[in-house]
Amino acid sequence: TFIDTANAPIFGIDAKGLVNEWNNMAVEITGFTRDEVMGQNLINVYITEEYRASVKEVMDNALRGKEEANFEFPLFTKDQKRVEVLLNATTRRDVTGNAVGVIGVGQDITLRKQVEEERTRVAQELQNFIFTANAPIFGIDAKGLVNEWNNKAVEITGFSRDEVMGQSLVEVYITEEFRASVKKVMDNALLGEETSNFEFPLFTKDKRRVEVLLNATTRRDVSDNVVGVIGVGQDITERKQAEQEKTRVAKELQTFIDTAN
């Protein structure tokens, strides 16, 4: 029959919740044969305890004619593997229109869930890396508003994350003389043209000047659309001061040589 050979797990229960349909794909996914499951209580036998109440509610609603689409729950296989199922629960009626059971048409979304969980894990790791990195890291969205501001950026500038989030990076935190050049770097990154080793000053909350060496990287979504910029900086204030001091000493020495008698 169509149910037996369908390329999706399909099961059915009667009005008492006992299994009366179990197609080939349900056998393949769970490892339980048709003979093993027929007449068994679907929820009590094949659904883990934490999900029994929610699955029972879906089945009970379907028995009352209230059908459910895209309900997610786990099934455990004969060898105790967890299979994630996306279920449509449809009321089954007799020729007089009375509800006599439920047909569940499922989709094995285990792989998709694993990919989603891995993506979430990687995103969380990346977020943790950004927060704890030993370099100032900030992000802006496509409108130039701050949407990332890590711990090191807080430490260097004195501005907390709450203070900067949603603010215009260029208009609020960059001095007027550098706004055009910093804006150009950000706009280029939003067009996919990234910049390395760009120097500019940030002013701290207490008006100190911090020299930053910046790499501006385009940020993209899963569809590869540009959604913002991530800036990874390096505080080079001490290095710049040392360079300026070296230049000053060299100049003094040259002046001394030139004016020596």
Side-chain angles (χ1 to χ4, degrees):
T1 66
F2 165 75
I3 288 178
D4 284 337
T5 60
N7 195 30
I10 298 176
F11 63 84
I13 59 170
D14 62 19
K16 295 178 180 178
L18 306 181
V19 177
N20 58 8
E21 292 283 1
W22 195 258
N23 79 340
N24 297 342
M25 187 57 79
V27 173
E28 182 180 324
I29 287 174
T30 67
F32 292 108
T33 67
R34 184 176 168 84
D35 289 341
E36 286 176 301
V37 300
M38 293 296 278
Q40 297 290 325
N41 186 291
L42 175 76
I43 291 166
N44 291 341
V45 178
Y46 300 104
I47 307 297
T48 53
E49 191 170 354
E50 62 180 315
Y51 282 90
R52 278 176 196 158
S54 57
V55 175
K56 186 175 188 304
E57 184 179 4
V58 168
M59 297 300 158
D60 288 348
N61 284 343
L63 284 169
R64 288 194 291 268
K66 185 182 176 184
E67 300 179 341
E68 182 90 27
N70 299 328
F71 175 71
E72 290 186 22
F73 72 99
L75 267 177
F76 278 80
T77 67
K78 196 170 184 176
D79 57 2
Q80 301 305 309
K81 284 191 297 167
R82 178 177 173 133
V83 176
E84 300 290 342
V85 176
L86 186 68
L87 180 75
N88 288 352
T90 305
T91 309
R92 197 172 202 176
R93 299 178 184 277
D94 62 18
V95 290
T96 59
N98 298 311
V100 293
V102 180
I103 283 286
V105 180
Q107 180 185 346
D108 181 356
I109 58 168
T110 309
L111 184 59
R112 191 186 85 185
K113 292 282 283 186
Q114 288 169 346
V115 170
E116 287 173 357
E117 286 166 4
E118 178 64 9
R119 188 180 293 161
T120 301
R121 185 191 66 77
V122 170
Q124 187 61 52
E125 277 191 1
L126 179 60
Q127 195 66 57
N128 290 340
F129 167 76
I130 288 173
F131 279 144
T132 60
N134 195 31
I137 299 177
F138 63 84
I140 60 168
D141 62 19
K143 295 178 180 177
L145 306 181
V146 177
N147 58 9
E148 291 283 0
W149 194 259
N150 79 338
N151 297 342
K152 197 67 174 179
V154 174
E155 180 186 323
I156 286 173
T157 67
F159 291 107
S160 71
R161 182 175 166 85
D162 288 341
E163 286 176 300
V164 300
M165 293 295 276
Q167 299 289 325
S168 170
L169 177 75
V170 173
E171 295 300 321
V172 179
Y173 300 104
I174 308 297
T175 53
E176 192 169 353
E177 62 180 314
F178 283 89
R179 278 178 197 157
S181 57
V182 174
K183 186 175 188 304
K184 184 179 179 183
V185 167
M186 297 299 155
D187 288 348
N188 285 345
L190 285 169
L191 295 171
E193 185 183 328
E194 301 176 344
T195 299
S196 298
N197 299 328
F198 173 71
E199 291 186 23
F200 72 99
L202 267 177
F203 279 80
T204 67
K205 196 171 183 177
D206 57 3
K207 304 304 183 187
R208 287 181 299 109
R209 177 176 172 136
V210 177
E211 301 290 341
V212 176
L213 187 68
L214 180 75
N215 288 353
T217 305
T218 307
R219 198 173 202 176
R220 299 176 185 273
D221 63 17
V222 291
S223 303
D224 207 35
N225 298 309
V226 174
V227 293
V229 179
I230 283 284
V232 179
Q234 182 184 346
D235 181 356
I236 58 169
T237 309
E238 289 185 6
R239 193 186 86 185
K240 291 282 284 186
Q241 289 169 345
E243 288 172 357
Q244 288 165 2
E245 179 64 11
K246 193 182 294 179
T247 300
R248 186 190 66 76
V249 170
K251 191 173 181 181
E252 278 189 1
L253 180 60
Q254 189 64 51
T255 302
F256 171 76
I257 291 169
D258 290 342
T259 59
N261 193 12

